[in-house]
Every structure is written in C-alpha cells, then in structure tokens.
Amino acid sequence: MIVARAHPLWLAYILHRLSGLALALFLPWHFWVLSMAVTDAARLDAFLTLTDMPLVKLAEFGLVFLLAVHFFGGLRLLALEWLPWSAPQKTWAAAAVAGSFLVSTTFLLRAI
C-alpha cells in the first residue's frame, strides 16, 4: 500500500498551495505600500529606506522564491487543464475569479 503523502506530486501540491497562500497574504500589504506612492510620497520614501536592511533583503529573496515555486506549480496545473472539469470545479473556479476581482477592485478604489 502506497501512502499518498509519500508521492512526489503530493509535495508539489503542498508547495503550490503554501506558496500561493504566502503570496496571497503578501499582496494586500504590497498594494497598501503601492498606494502610498499615490497618496503620500514622503511616507513611501521613509518606508522604502527599510529595504536596505539585510532581513528585508532576505525576505525579498524568499518572496521571489515563493513566486517561482508558485509559477512552476501553476504550469504543472495547466497541464491538468486538458482533463474535463466537473460542474462544481467550474463553479469554484468562477467564484475564485470573482473573489479576486472583488479584492483587486477594492484596492483600486481605495487607491483612487
């Protein structure tokens, strides 16, 4: 009997989900910082001085690493798109797109 968690694709599944979650948690903060460029440039300049700290540079490396992991995990999932989707899967995908649009529109309206 093969344990599902010992399968290499299970690790790919977990890495893709965790990297996506970490990136999703980062995005609202990122958009908040970007909104400072429009609303308060002096505050943004003061905030950006933090990027010279070694810990922040390490965090930026981690962010790029997570982005790469998520990107390649997404490419793996694109290969799975050739399989037929069930109706509930299509509904969840549409809901995810709608939720993403709602969140991004909220940040856009806040920045305006």
Side-chain angles (χ1 to χ4, degrees):
M1 180 174 162
I2 298 176
V3 179
R5 291 183 180 165
H7 197 279
L9 289 180
W10 185 83
L11 178 61
Y13 164 82
I14 291 299
L15 285 175
H16 189 254
R17 296 315 182 268
L18 291 177
S19 65
L21 179 63
L23 291 169
L25 292 173
F26 167 77
L27 276 177
W29 182 69
H30 177 69
F31 289 136
W32 174 70
V33 171
L34 287 177
S35 73
M36 281 191 246
V38 176
T39 59
D40 193 356
R43 188 173 170 201
L44 176 66
D45 288 338
F47 181 82
L48 290 178
T49 60
L50 295 173
T51 60
D52 290 330
M53 296 174 53
L55 184 61
V56 174
K57 291 182 188 251
L58 181 65
E60 288 173 347
F61 169 78
L63 183 64
V64 171
F65 176 76
L66 288 174
L67 186 60
V69 166
H70 196 71
F71 174 76
F72 287 111
L75 289 177
R76 182 185 70 85
L77 288 175
L78 282 175
L80 298 176
E81 285 191 8
W82 293 101
L83 301 174
W85 283 29
S86 67
Q89 287 173 325
K90 290 178 184 177
T91 302
W92 279 107
V97 169
S100 300
F101 181 75
L102 175 67
V103 170
S104 62
T105 302
T106 302
F107 279 104
L108 175 65
L109 292 177
R110 173 105 192 219
I112 293 178

